[in-house]
Amino acid sequence: MSTNSSVGYNEEYARSVAETEKYWQEAGKRIDWIRPYSKADGSSYAGNVQIKWYEDGTLNVANNCVDRHARVRPDAPAIIWVADSEGESLVISYEDLRKNVNRFANVLRMQGVKKGDRVTLYMPMIPKAAYAMLACARIGAVHSVVFAGFSAESLANRIVDAESHFIITADEGRRGGKRIPLKETVDEALRIARMDAKVLVVKHTGGDVSFSERRDVWLHDVWGTVGTECESEEMSAEDPFFILYTSGSTGKPKGLVHTTGGYLVYASMTHERIFAYQPGEVYWCTADIGWITGHSYLVYGPLANGATTLMFEGVPNQPTPKRIWDIVDEWNVSVLYTAPTLIRSLMAAGDRWLEGTSRKSLRMLGTVGEPINPEAWRWYYEKVGDSRCPIADTWWQTETGGVLITPLPDTAPLKPGAAMKPFFGIIPDIVDENGESVPQGTQGRLLIRRSWPGQARTIHGDHARFMETYFSAVPGAYLTGDGAHRDVDGDYWIIGRVDDVVNVSGHRFGTAEIESALVAHPAVAEAAVIGVPHPIKGQSLFCFVILRDGYQDDEGLIAQLKQQVRADIGAIAVPDDVVCVPGLPKTRSGKIMRRILRKLVAREDDLGDVSTLVDPRIIEEIKTALSLNRQV
Ligand code: WT7
């Protein structure tokens, strides 16, 4: 793998950035429009930041993801659902999908949901979750899917922020043999939110849940009362399609708004081009529908392409690390798209779990969510793919809607740990603190110079925050929040976040968010949170807290503080370490120097410049506290 064979890519990339408008006008034809567009790019990063694509075109996402395939290949499998419990599965054809989505859409209409209404989904990974998403798309309702691992408090915040009066949930979910209370959490969230809402409940496990005759509706009670035909709403390309919440470096999670036309063009095109998807292949993305990966590369991209998408309810390494390979073999999976954290945990479990599995069906592998360390990359390449399958290390974000930097099928040589090439039409750059482009090999802040169809349009209800967060640091460019460098071949390497966002197992948390969860506890006067390297999770959360007078630093209190974060945000955000300290390293202006905290946790001797510290003695006190920390 030493010659550069990316001629096809180079030529097409050059064309895509030289004649962008023409390129995207052409690309837009991959989906069916009701009224064709006359123009592709209507975006401007200047002034008020307006992002618009295919603006005068109209379409319906469900028609594109379901009906147009059901018409020509009604029996082709659309979704292969694999249950948490082994041996249980379901194959849903495009015609089955069409009927189910239409019924679901009719139910929503019957319940009074209208175009533009925000519908919150708090769902397990079951086909009805996909039906619900597509049903919203069919009637033009804006879905806001909340990952079912978030707490009632987080769910409440998202329901309130989205002004959502309609919730879809299930009695319970199932993961790794455990039952996840969903309806109960929704009940609690609505108590916290004090919002008047209707709740549509899917019976999944049959578990015993409370039911309010006034507010709740069982899906099975209304399912039979509606038909399988449902007229779809003609949507403008720029009508909001969905809201998805993600954490930033400051404040509460932001509801990124994606719109209808450009998003679908971009999700479907990247899915097809990056994975070289061939009709008839089984494609498996392990992401949950609660994240953008689940939206773009489990549901919308693959289905828009008429693909067979595998949806797994459980945890890929449970009950044993062999489960994932058994599923690959049983369903002849051609493309596997997953997260580095899972690869690292499978690698740590040992190669013996691969023994006796074939994996011959695999043609291509993908990773997403966090940087992949070269060791894990090689294991994935050599052991899982038997050195046959290229790996697409895809870099992107909730905000980008689809992949922006990735190898393409003709990219060679692949470099373990590099995200490699910009996708067609994408113009990345790396700049220093002053916004000046840096030379090759120098690390800097990654930004994107021009819009693309899949880009988020705004933050729900707060366009000023959208402009401030992404477009103010370097005028005229989209700031990603990641650090990166470009090597001598012009290939991109992503370092990770350079803002106060921590990536734990591919999940984003703002340090400020965790800090406010901690200070909400009566014992905590002040908190500072950092991300520290973790062998499996990539990063873990390390918290420093200053206790109020009268509180004792003991195991019980530490457990309470962790529980506080669990209740406030969710189990996925529980910190690995909480350490009580007498003070925090601060500058004269009161800013916490997280850089010093990171070095102290890493036991580095050279702390760098500490001359701006108000009280340098605090360093020794923190060192002492760390040496007593037994949590690691
Ligand atoms: C952040 C975005 C994109 C879907 C899943 C995460 C990190 C993502 C990579 C990669 C290095 C990556 C970045 C980014 N990230 N993919 N291939 N290599 N880092 O979406 O929750 O919006 O998080 O994930 O730091 O900013 P998200």
Side-chain angles (χ1 to χ4, degrees):
M1 292 204 301
S2 57
T3 52
N4 191 316
S5 63
S6 325
V7 184
Y9 165 83
N10 289 341
E11 189 273 327
E12 184 172 344
Y13 179 76
R15 188 157 47 84
S16 74
V17 294
E19 298 173 61
T20 310
E21 173 64 19
K22 194 167 155 215
Y23 185 83
W24 286 120
Q25 280 208 15
E26 204 48 47
K29 293 181 188 156
R30 59 180 302 112
I31 62 172
D32 287 355
W33 298 83
I34 299 169
R35 189 177 72 214
Y37 48 86
S38 62
K39 185 179 171 193
D41 189 4
S43 311
S44 162
Y45 281 178
N48 271 338
V49 183
Q50 284 217 340
I51 300 162
K52 295 191 240 171
W53 286 85
Y54 308 108
E55 199 188 355
D56 59 355
T58 64
L59 73 156
N60 183 278
V61 168
N63 282 342
N64 274 283
C65 292
V66 185
D67 302 51
R68 65 168 175 166
H69 309 302
R71 264 195 305 277
V72 290
R73 297 184 302 128
D75 300 327
I79 299 177
I80 294 173
W81 179 69
V82 178
D84 187 51
S85 51
E86 285 174 282
E88 192 185 337
S89 61
L90 202 61
V91 178
I92 298 136
S93 71
Y94 270 96
E95 177 59 13
D96 294 338
L97 182 64
R98 191 191 68 81
K99 289 191 187 133
N100 281 304
V101 169
N102 283 0
R103 256 193 217 277
F104 213 120
N106 280 329
V107 166
L108 295 182
R109 277 211 177 117
M110 192 183 86
Q111 295 297 321
V113 179
K114 294 184 300 300
K115 177 178 174 178
D117 288 354
R118 271 83 53 210
V119 173
T120 300
L121 270 67
Y122 191 70
M123 288 288 276
M125 287 280 282
I126 57 175
K128 287 202 173 69
Y131 304 162
M133 291 166 79
L134 289 158
C136 287
R138 188 156 197 96
I139 67 167
V142 178
H143 60 63
S144 162
V145 184
V146 178
F147 174 61
F150 279 118
S151 67
E153 186 77 39
S154 286
L155 176 59
N157 289 339
R158 286 157 172 79
I159 290 171
V160 170
D161 186 85
E163 304 151 281
S164 170
H165 297 280
F166 199 90
I167 324 288
I168 306 174
T169 190
D171 45 7
E172 296 171 313
R174 269 196 207 109
R175 274 173 66 78
K178 288 199 214 92
R179 290 191 176 198
I180 319 288
L182 300 176
K183 172 65 165 58
E184 193 187 310
T185 308
V186 168
D187 291 346
E188 174 67 15
L190 288 174
R191 264 194 298 275
I192 298 169
R194 295 166 188 254
M195 281 232 334
D196 190 26
K198 230 177 204 175
V199 183
L200 183 62
V201 193
V202 174
K203 195 186 214 70
H204 177 46
T205 63
D208 195 15
V209 293
S210 73
F211 191 84
S212 145
E213 294 295 338
R214 186 189 58 79
R215 190 195 63 189
D216 303 337
V217 178
W218 282 109
L219 181 69
H220 60 258
D221 281 345
V222 286
W223 192 249
T225 67
V226 295
T228 56
E229 300 304 315
C230 170
E231 208 182 314
S232 63
E233 198 74 43
E234 178 171 352
M235 304 295 285
S236 253
E238 284 303 334
D239 277 338
F241 176 17
F242 64 83
I243 299 174
L244 189 58
Y245 286 85
T246 192
S247 298
S249 47
T250 56
K252 47 181 191 145
K254 315 177 272 247
L256 272 313
V257 178
H258 283 280
T259 57
T260 308
Y263 171 83
L264 195 65
V265 169
Y266 199 74
S268 71
M269 179 172 174
T270 45
H271 170 259
E272 186 185 319
R273 297 298 301 271
I274 294 165
F275 299 113
Y277 183 80
Q278 303 295 317
E281 286 184 335
V282 175
Y283 160 92
W284 182 15
C285 165
T286 65
D288 191 279
I289 47 152
W291 312 113
I292 190 71
T293 311
H295 284 58
S296 302
Y297 299 114
L298 176 71
V299 178
Y300 295 117
L303 294 178
N305 293 336
T308 301
T309 185
L310 192 147
M311 182 185 215
F312 177 43
E313 183 186 23
V315 186
N317 54 3
Q318 283 180 26
T320 74
K322 190 162 167 278
R323 183 82 198 268
I324 181 169
W325 315 125
D326 287 341
I327 295 174
V328 166
D329 286 346
E330 180 174 359
W331 297 100
N332 275 308
V333 172
S334 297
V335 181
L336 176 68
Y337 190 29
T338 192
T341 186
L342 178 70
I343 298 166
R344 286 191 294 263
S345 77
L346 291 167
M347 182 171 77
D351 295 356
R352 68 192 174 98
W353 297 106
L354 290 166
E355 283 162 20
T357 69
S358 155
R359 289 161 283 106
K360 286 275 184 297
S361 59
L362 290 173
R363 178 181 56 72
M364 192 154 177
L365 302 169
T367 72
V368 57
E370 39 170 338
I372 180 161
N373 45 313
E375 193 195 355
W377 193 101
R378 286 200 190 89
W379 186 83
Y380 198 31
Y381 184 77
E382 288 163 12
K383 297 287 166 61
V384 174
D386 289 326
S387 303
R388 287 183 300 110
C389 309
I391 298 178
D393 174 355
T394 62
W395 175 86
W396 59 297
Q397 310 176 296
T398 305
E399 292 86 341
T400 72
V403 174
L404 297 195
I405 304 182
T406 176
L408 281 132
D410 67 351
T411 304
L414 291 172
K415 301 173 186 174
M420 305 295 292
K421 305 283 183 197
F423 192 75
F424 305 113
I426 304 301
I427 308 182
D429 199 1
I430 298 171
V431 302
D432 62 19
E433 289 299 307
N434 303 318
E436 305 288 337
S437 298
V438 299
Q440 239 164 29
T442 310
Q443 192 180 318
R445 302 199 279 177
L446 177 67
L447 47 78
I448 313 292
R449 296 246 173 238
R450 205 187 274 167
S451 185
W452 63 96
Q455 183 167 27
R457 306 309 197 236
T458 191
I459 292 172
H460 177 71
D462 201 348
H463 193 64
R465 187 175 176 201
F466 182 70
M467 294 190 288
E468 167 65 26
T469 309
Y470 305 108
F471 299 92
S472 64
V474 182
Y478 165 73
L479 189 77
T480 67
D482 277 304
H485 71 89
R486 225 174 346 213
D487 66 19
V488 286
D489 304 318
D491 294 328
Y492 287 83
W493 298 73
I494 313 293
I495 314 292
R497 304 293 304 198
V498 289
D499 52 6
D500 291 324
V501 170
V502 183
N503 190 326
V504 183
S505 302
H507 304 145
R508 256 164 91 164
F509 299 104
T511 52
E513 207 185 338
I514 312 286
E515 286 159 8
S516 40
L518 289 167
V519 296
H521 190 281
V524 179
E526 206 177 339
V529 175
I530 57 169
V532 298
H534 184 281
I536 305 287
K537 301 179 186 181
Q539 285 187 298
S540 67
L541 294 164
F542 199 110
C543 312
F544 295 86
V545 293
I546 302 177
L547 296 184
R548 287 185 196 284
D549 283 348
Y551 286 92
Q552 199 61 39
D553 170 9
D554 58 31
E555 270 171 40
L557 180 66
I558 299 297
Q560 269 185 39
L561 295 180
K562 291 183 181 179
Q563 176 54 32
Q564 172 83 20
V565 179
R566 179 189 295 264
D568 210 51
I569 303 172
I572 49 172
V574 174
D576 280 22
D577 298 86
V578 178
V579 172
C580 299
V581 288
L584 289 164
K586 286 189 184 164
T587 62
R588 261 169 259 285
S589 59
K591 204 171 154 3
I592 295 168
M593 297 181 78
R594 289 199 172 73
R595 171 176 64 79
I596 292 183
L597 292 175
R598 276 190 285 267
K599 290 189 173 202
L600 287 170
V601 173
R603 307 283 197 269
E604 280 181 36
D605 293 327
D606 179 11
L607 297 179
D609 183 9
V610 292
S611 62
T612 50
L613 276 183
V614 179
D615 180 9
R617 278 171 312 182
I618 206 69
I619 303 272
E620 286 312 312
E621 293 175 356
I622 296 174
K623 275 188 183 167
T624 308
L626 284 172
S627 68
L628 297 173
N629 175 30
R630 302 219 183 285
Q631 294 161 75
V632 268

